[in-house]
Amino acid sequence: MLELDQNPTPAAAAPLPIADCPRPTRAEAEAAVRTLIRWAGDDPAREGLLATPARVVRAYEEWFAGYRQDPAELLSRTFGEVGGYDEVVILRDIPLQSTCEHHMAAITGVVHIAYLPSRRVVGISKLARLVEALGRRLQIQERLTAEIADTLARVLQPRGVAVIVEASHACLSSRGVRAHGVSMQTRRLLGEFAREPRRREILAALAG
C-alpha cells in the first residue's frame, strides 16, 4: 500500500466558491459576456451576436463542469475479485480538455495513468472520468498532473501511481510568442513507481 506521508504535500482540489461571494446569476454571466464583446470592439446587439452570451454561458457549464463533481466519489466503487492479479494497470491516451487559468485558453492533450493495486481495482472508465472532472476546471498542467495522481493515491491506496500528461496550450500558440506545434509534458510518480527499478520500468511502459 502506498504511504502518503512519503509524498510531497498532496495537491488540494480546486476550491469551491467562497460563501461570501455567491455565484452570479445566468443573467449576470450573460451581461459579462456582452461587456467583453463591447470591449473587443463589436456590438453585442447585432444579429450575429444576439445569442452569443447565452451560448457562451452554456459552453461554460460544459467546460467547467468539474467544479460540480467530486473526484474522489468517482473512484469510490472498487472491485476485489481480480483473480489474484497484482501487477500494474495502465490506461493510455485518455483525452484531456482543460482551460488555462492564466489566459482562459484551451489546453488539449492526453493523459497516461498507471497504478499498482494493493487489494482492489477501479473500473477503467472511472480513470477517464477522473481526468475529465479535474480537467474541466481552470487549471495549470502541473497542478492537474498532481491532482490526478494524488486523488488516485488517496482513494485507492495502491502500491504505486504514475501519471503523465502531454498537452498543447492555446495560450502559447494563439498569443504571445505564437509557438505552434509545441507540447508540454508533466509527470508525477508515487510509491513504488518513484523508486528504481520500478521508476524506469513504468516510464518506459507509459512512453509506449
Side-chain angles (χ1 to χ4, degrees):
M1 185 178 297
L2 191 156
E3 297 179 12
L4 288 179
D5 58 4
Q6 294 177 349
N7 308 329
T9 304
L16 296 174
I18 19 181
D20 58 355
C21 185
R23 185 181 183 185
T25 65
R26 181 176 295 270
E28 289 171 330
E30 292 181 9
V33 176
R34 284 190 286 272
T35 296
L36 286 174
I37 292 172
R38 285 195 298 272
W39 185 87
D42 213 322
D43 178 10
R46 71 176 175 84
E47 183 180 2
L49 291 172
L50 276 176
T52 296
R55 293 191 190 103
V56 170
V57 171
R58 288 197 299 271
Y60 265 45
E61 287 179 321
E62 291 185 40
W63 292 339
F64 302 114
Y67 286 114
R68 301 188 297 277
Q69 294 179 286
D70 180 356
E73 180 64 26
L74 295 173
L75 302 175
S76 61
R77 184 181 181 188
T78 59
F79 305 91
E81 296 181 358
V82 294
Y85 184 84
D86 61 356
E87 280 298 321
V88 63
V89 175
I90 299 176
L91 193 63
R92 291 177 45 82
D93 299 318
I94 304 169
L96 169 66
Q97 292 183 326
S98 191
T99 305
C100 167
E101 68 180 37
H102 297 149
H103 298 95
M104 298 188 76
I107 300 173
T108 56
V110 294
V111 179
H112 313 305
I113 293 177
Y115 72 97
L116 197 57
S118 56
R119 291 183 301 272
R120 303 179 67 81
V121 299
V122 69
I124 58 174
S125 68
K126 299 301 188 287
L127 298 179
R129 290 185 184 278
L130 174 65
V131 170
E132 182 178 45
L134 291 171
R136 289 187 179 275
R137 302 179 179 193
L138 293 169
Q139 283 286 9
I140 62 171
Q141 185 173 327
E142 296 89 341
R143 184 177 67 233
L144 173 62
T145 306
E147 286 180 346
I148 295 169
D150 291 344
T151 302
L152 281 167
R154 186 175 66 254
V155 179
L156 297 186
Q157 292 289 297
R159 290 174 288 152
V161 172
V163 174
I164 294 180
V165 179
E166 300 173 340
S168 299
H169 296 246
C171 60
L172 183 66
S173 61
S174 66
R175 57 161 300 282
V177 296
R178 294 181 174 85
H180 296 275
V182 177
S183 65
M184 176 177 172
Q185 183 184 100
T186 49
R187 62 194 187 192
R188 187 164 178 83
L189 307 178
L190 302 175
E192 291 188 22
F193 290 151
R195 300 184 292 272
E196 298 293 358
R198 283 284 193 177
R199 176 184 177 89
R200 183 170 57 254
E201 292 171 356
I202 197 59
L203 288 177
L206 290 178

